[in-house]
Amino acid sequence: MAAPVDGDRDARALRPLPDDEPMRRAREGALEVEVGPGDTVFDIAARYGVSTASVLALNGLGWRSTLTAGQTVLVKPVEARPAPVSVADELHRHRVSEDETVSSIAQRHGVATAAVLLANGLSRGSTVRAGQQLVIPVPNLRRTGSGAVTLTGEMRENAAVIVTVGREAGVPDDGIVVALTAAMQDSSLHNLPFGEGDAVGLFQQRPSLGWGDELALLEPRAAATAFFGGAGSGVVAPATGLLDVGGWEFMAVGEAAHAVQRLASPAAYGKWERAARGWLHEIEHPRG
């Protein structure tokens, strides 16, 4: 992302960096990286395992800045350390084709639109252009030696809220598993403040479609309550909570999640079933 430039400056020039002592220390050990065609700050930061914010600050760039091929930016690698918990653990890239949207790209890769927006520093209503490269996030998951998927940090905390709300509402195991798969698929179990259209939160629920108040849906307990539905949930048509879906108990987990969410295919939700059953057991029976 090249910094905004004045009309009398070359389009490839960066804003002058402060020449004070703190900035000089910050630049020590930094690498000069040449920007390739289609590269964004997010691409470069991911490539070197650093935060996007650190690259922006080191180069005097802003969040709305864009990069130009051939431009040089500074990147300061960090010492090796355990990977932090974030929305994306493994990053893949997608080159945008004609007529593609963020939503269609997210659907193609089987991830939530909100996760793609977040990984690329985009906001609700952002558009993409042909040839642009987007980062496609894969949920940050850690696998045990047995191959089971283990949640960490915020993801585990949100999963625990879903389990607690489900139990309080008298929802059986299968229904809680449905909720966990839905939240995993549509938000990577993160409480996202944005998404496609007016969607927000763990389940990417849309106030305009009857799920409730936006601020309330950004509270995990309220979002989980709305997902399960039933009396007192506050959900109104055309939204339908799980307990309001006739015969959900006889559906496959992916089909039941799709009946509520209607965002991804039943298979996209269903692929998380085995992991979700493990999460439910671990949350309710933690190993001492």
Side-chain angles (χ1 to χ4, degrees), residues 7 28 47 49 93-94 102 106 157 166 170 177 192-193 195 204 239 246 252 274 282:
E28 290 178 0
R47 193 179 306 150
R93 288 167 181 76
H94 175 95
V102 174
E157 293 174 3
V177 167
L192 302 177
Q204 288 295 279
R274 181 177 178 184
E282 195 278 330

Side-chain angles (χ1 to χ4, degrees), residues 131-194:
Q132 181 177 346
Q133 286 192 18
L134 294 181
V135 171
I136 306 299
V138 174
N140 186 353
L141 303 174
R142 183 165 54 83
R143 292 186 177 272
T144 66
S146 65
V149 177
T150 302
L151 298 179
T152 56
E154 179 190 352
M155 300 170 75
R156 190 185 188 285
E157 293 174 3
N158 289 329
V161 170
I162 292 171
V163 172
T164 298
V165 171
R167 288 303 188 210
E168 291 173 352
V171 179
D173 286 5
D174 283 351
I176 295 175
V177 167
V178 170
L180 291 171
T181 64
M184 186 66 213
Q185 175 61 30
D186 291 334
S187 74
S188 298
L189 275 166
H190 283 71
N191 190 24
L192 302 177
F194 57 81

Side-chain angles (χ1 to χ4, degrees), residues 21-82:
E21 184 60 28
M23 181 55 74
R24 281 196 293 272
R25 287 199 301 268
R27 293 200 299 264
E28 290 178 0
L31 304 175
E32 291 189 355
V33 177
E34 183 174 333
V35 178
D39 270 350
T40 68
V41 171
F42 307 99
D43 295 327
I44 294 172
R47 193 179 306 150
Y48 287 87
V50 299
S51 70
T52 300
S54 71
V55 178
L56 293 173
L58 202 59
N59 291 277
L61 298 171
W63 286 101
R64 295 181 181 275
S65 302
T66 55
L67 294 181
T68 304
Q71 182 178 323
T72 298
V73 296
L74 297 176
V75 177
K76 188 171 183 179
V78 295
E79 296 180 3
R81 61 179 184 272

Side-chain angles (χ1 to χ4, degrees), residues 107 110 185-186 253-255 257-259 262-271:
Q107 184 174 12
Q185 175 61 30
D186 291 334
V253 166
E255 292 175 342
H258 173 72
R262 308 173 193 175
L263 294 176
S265 67
Y269 295 112
K271 70 174 180 277

